Amino acid sequence: MVLSNETDTEVFQVLRSGNLLALGIFYDRYGEVVYRVALRMLGNAQEAEDLTQEVFLTLWRSGKYDSKRGSMLVFLTTLTRSKAIDRHRQIKAQWQRLQRWSRNVPPDNSSNLMDKVSLEEMSQRVREALAELPPNQKQILEMSYYDGLSQSEISDNLNMPLGTVKTHKRKGLLYLRQMLQDLVE
């Protein structure tokens, strides 16, 4: 069977059966459109390339396309738009975390040089310990403590079961406690 001559619905059925050549067919047909939508929304070529790859991987992994609801082109552009909006939200949340963090940093006119050095040392140790966490644990702790989100809100934002969010948060906190034990005592 020559896939390039088949309809989108037929190619999608081949993709669902595990044939990755079908993904290449979709990329050939719609990759440029997806990239252009991503570029227009994100304004950055590298981000647009990453998002384009993410969209096609989502198509491959999810298998949620329904030809009765619209064409593959509409499905992919809607998915691209949705993921671009998510990226904007993620960037905004990171920016807000940085702003909150910068507001919480004490002013430079601390009582003495030793206080400044000690505070900088502790901050550095906390950053290093956070960097050692698995990505899910780190993201959940940042969303909880920097963004002030509840575990339910984190669960909704990450599309992750609440129990999993709680487990990642607890494991991350236990690890940080162990790594920073001398700072806590």
Side-chain angles (χ1 to χ4, degrees):
M1 172 189 335
V2 179
L3 286 177
S4 59
N5 297 333
E6 302 297 324
T7 67
D8 287 344
T9 303
E10 293 166 332
V11 174
F12 185 70
Q13 292 305 318
V14 171
L15 178 64
R16 288 188 69 195
S17 71
N19 187 338
L20 288 180
L21 292 176
L23 187 62
I25 298 296
F26 283 133
Y27 188 82
D28 290 342
R29 289 179 185 177
Y30 304 111
E32 186 174 342
V33 173
V34 168
Y35 173 77
R36 290 185 186 277
V37 170
L39 182 61
R40 187 173 54 237
M41 291 190 73
L42 298 174
N44 177 302
Q46 182 63 45
E47 286 287 326
E49 288 173 12
D50 291 346
L51 187 64
T52 300
Q53 181 180 6
E54 186 179 331
V55 165
F56 283 97
L57 286 174
T58 300
L59 174 66
W60 171 53
R61 289 181 180 145
S62 75
K64 292 189 180 187
Y65 168 67
D66 182 2
S67 61
K68 296 173 190 156
R69 296 186 65 192
S71 69
M72 179 60 73
L73 176 62
V74 170
F75 175 77
L76 290 173
T77 54
T78 302
L79 184 60
T80 304
R81 181 181 177 279
S82 175
K83 288 188 174 293
I85 289 169
D86 289 345
R87 289 237 175 143
H88 278 293
R89 287 182 184 143
Q90 191 176 32
I91 290 167
K92 182 181 176 184
Q94 288 172 344
W95 178 249
Q96 289 172 342
R97 274 195 297 269
L98 282 173
Q99 287 180 324
R100 268 192 293 265
W101 181 81
S102 67
R103 282 193 302 263
N104 292 332
V105 173
D108 282 343
N109 59 359
S110 295
S111 60
N112 65 40
L113 182 60
M114 289 306 290
D115 289 344
K116 288 181 186 179
V117 170
S118 177
L119 183 61
E120 182 57 38
E121 221 174 77
M122 286 191 296
S123 295
Q124 180 62 33
R125 295 231 359 245
V126 170
R127 281 193 298 273
E128 288 170 357
L130 271 172
E132 290 182 26
L133 288 174
N136 279 342
Q137 292 175 13
K138 179 181 177 185
Q139 183 181 24
I140 288 169
L141 288 176
E142 287 175 343
M143 291 174 82
S144 179
Y145 292 99
Y146 294 138
D147 296 341
L149 298 178
S150 70
Q151 292 175 345
S152 297
E153 291 170 326
I154 294 169
S155 173
D156 292 340
N157 285 345
L158 297 179
N159 196 20
M160 183 182 288
L162 181 59
T164 304
V165 170
K166 290 179 179 183
T167 300
H168 284 316
K169 184 176 180 181
R170 176 140 176 82
K171 285 182 178 180
L173 287 173
L174 289 173
Y175 179 79
L176 288 178
R177 181 178 184 187
Q178 178 185 358
M179 292 301 294
L180 303 170
Q181 189 171 3
D182 61 315
L183 293 178
V184 180
E185 294 175 348

